[in-house]
Every structure is written in C-alpha cells, then in structure tokens.
Amino acid sequence: MKVLSNNLAVVAAIVTVLLWSSSFVVIRFVGETLSPGAMAFTRLAAGAVVLVVIALRYRRPIPRGRALGLVIGYGLLWFAAYTVLLNWAEQHLDAGTAALLVNFAPILVAVFAGLFMGEGFPKPLVIGILIAFAGVLLIALGGSGGSHNDKLGIILGLITAVLYAAGVLMQKVALRTVDAVTATWVGCLAGLLATVPFAPQAIDELADASAGAITGVIFLGVGPTAIAFLTWAYALTRTDAGKMAATTLAVPAIAIGLSWLFLGEVPTPLGLVGGAMALTGVAISRRRPRATADVPEPVATS
C-alpha cells in the first residue's frame, strides 16, 4: 500500500509539473489581451468553480483556528499575489526566463524546510538540487529565446519566487491537519476574494477578448490552478517539502520547450544543455538515500 501511495504521489507531482510548465506559455499568450489583475481574477474564478464542485462532492469540514489562518495565508500569498505578479512579470519577460526566475523558489524551500521543518538535507536531494540549479544557471547565461526581458520583469520574477516559497512552506504546515482538497479550495477562494477589485476590469476586457484568449484563461483556472494545485497538495502530504519543491526545478526546462514550440521563443544551445541538467537533477533528487553496507541508516522521523 505504501509503494502504491508513493507511486501515486510521483504521478501527481508529474501532472503538477506539466500543468505549471504550460501555464507560463499560456500566460504569455493571454497577456496580450488581458491585464495582470483581470487575468488573475478570471483564472481564480474558473479554478474556484471547479474546486468548489469537488469540495461539495467530498464534504470535508472547513478548518478552524491556526489551520484556517495558514490556509488563508498561503491562499493570499500564492493564489492571489503570486498570480498577479507573475502575470505582470510575463509582460516583461519571455516564458522561459519567467519560469527560470520563479523556480529559484525550490532552493529557498529546500533550505528552510531542512533547517526549520526537520527534513534535513538528504544526499540525493542536495546533489540533485545542485545539478538542477547549475542547469538553471546555464539557462540564465545562455538565454531562453526571448529578446524583450527587462529589469522590472526580473524583479517581479524574483518576488514571485519568494511568494511561491513562502506559500509552499505555509501549505506544508497546514496540510498536517487539513486535507488536500479543503486546503486547495479554501486557499483558492481566499485568493479569488483578494482579486475581486479586478473584477470590473476583467468583465470589460473579456467582452472584447478573442475566443482563444478566453479559452486560455479558463484553461489556466481549470488546469494549472484547480487540477495542478490538487495534485500538488496530494503529493506534498506524502513527501518532504524540499523534495517536492526540487521536482519543480524541471518546470523551466519544460516551459522553454513549450515556448519554443508554441511561441517561437527559440532556446540557445546553453539553454538546451541547462534544461537537460535540470531534468537530470530532479530525477536524482527524487531518489531515496541508500543505506551503507557497514553502518545502518538511522530511521527518519517527521
């Protein structure tokens, strides 16, 4: 049963990575029509509809006290602030560079989870993160195909990375007492309420938007928001925060490939090598430490 649970967690993590990777490309496309706040509100509204339907199906109790505060907190940081600022950043960055900057967050998560959440620093995780991050640096040095990146976009991208990391750590603590479905739908609803001031702007812009842009923002709500955050929360409850965050280091590599395919943002040779290294590092980080033949490995505690 434990093996099955671990395998399902891996599948859930893969679904999350693929959907989050696609979101960087779709945001670039939809951003030609919708402003950052309007896109965030519409995306969260679409996601909230799906998540509330799922929540009604499972009828889980709403958390209270500290747990509710943590869920609302990560909802405001990750669902609301992160989404608005990422939309804004991608008006100044290509999809690959945006994914690169945002995914500095896994390094922050791994460090803080190791220091303050008792997860430690397993050898495969450390080696995998170092290799993946080296790949990310190569992507940064070689470029990812965009030619209109500016300082504002870079600053916004780094801020979203901090928001992402803080959201993951708060969510990990909340998931100790709150189930994945409840944590996701309540967090999304908190984010939606925070973006309500953008609702009038969203209505105006959607009235003039193309069918493709409307389809794109609905996809962002259903796929990278509702489905991906559910699969992320499911996997996060069954593995360490540092290991899960390290898995998302694959996002820049996949996002660059998708932006090349759909947006014509051609990666450089260094970008391709860096992407391969990032994927390799993630694979290593997911491995379990091997016990030595002479000294038994201590039993991990959580």
Side-chain angles (χ1 to χ4, degrees), residues 126-209:
V126 174
I127 293 174
I129 284 179
L130 290 175
I131 293 174
F133 191 60
V136 167
L137 289 178
L138 280 182
I139 295 172
L141 291 172
S144 58
S147 57
H148 302 290
N149 299 331
D150 59 34
K151 291 182 181 179
L152 176 59
I154 292 171
I155 292 171
L156 290 171
L158 291 174
I159 293 174
T160 60
V162 174
L163 292 171
Y164 171 4
V168 171
L169 294 170
M170 291 181 70
Q171 184 188 35
K172 178 63 177 178
V173 177
L175 287 171
R176 293 172 180 171
T177 55
V178 182
D179 66 275
V181 173
T182 302
T184 305
W185 83 261
V186 174
C188 182
L189 196 59
L192 174 63
L193 292 175
T195 59
V196 164
F198 298 109
Q201 188 178 9
I203 294 171
D204 290 340
E205 293 179 6
L206 287 170
D208 297 324

Side-chain angles (χ1 to χ4, degrees), residues 14-109:
I14 291 172
V15 170
T16 300
V17 166
L18 291 175
L19 287 172
W20 281 355
S21 299
S22 70
S23 70
F24 289 94
V25 177
V26 179
I27 288 171
R28 283 279 287 173
F29 170 71
V30 176
E32 297 178 356
T33 303
L34 300 181
S35 58
M39 191 195 313
F41 172 79
T42 309
R43 171 180 178 171
L44 292 174
V49 169
V50 175
L51 289 169
V52 168
V53 169
I54 295 173
L56 290 174
R57 165 68 176 80
Y58 285 93
R59 296 183 180 180
R60 302 288 172 80
I62 296 176
R64 297 180 179 180
R66 178 172 178 265
L68 179 59
L70 286 168
V71 172
I72 292 175
Y74 99 79
L76 295 176
L77 290 177
W78 204 355
F79 281 94
Y82 167 90
T83 302
V84 173
L85 291 183
L86 177 59
N87 294 344
W88 188 9
E90 289 210 51
Q91 293 187 347
H92 299 268
L93 302 171
D94 63 84
T97 301
L100 160 71
L101 292 170
V102 168
N103 281 279
F104 178 69
I107 309 299
L108 300 176
V109 172

Side-chain angles (χ1 to χ4, degrees), residues 19 48 58 86 106 108 123 145 153 185 239-240 246 258 265 279 284 294:
L19 287 172
Y58 285 93
L86 177 59
L108 300 176
K123 188 174 180 180
W185 83 261
T239 189
D240 294 339
L258 292 174
E265 297 175 345
L279 293 172
I284 293 174
D294 299 322

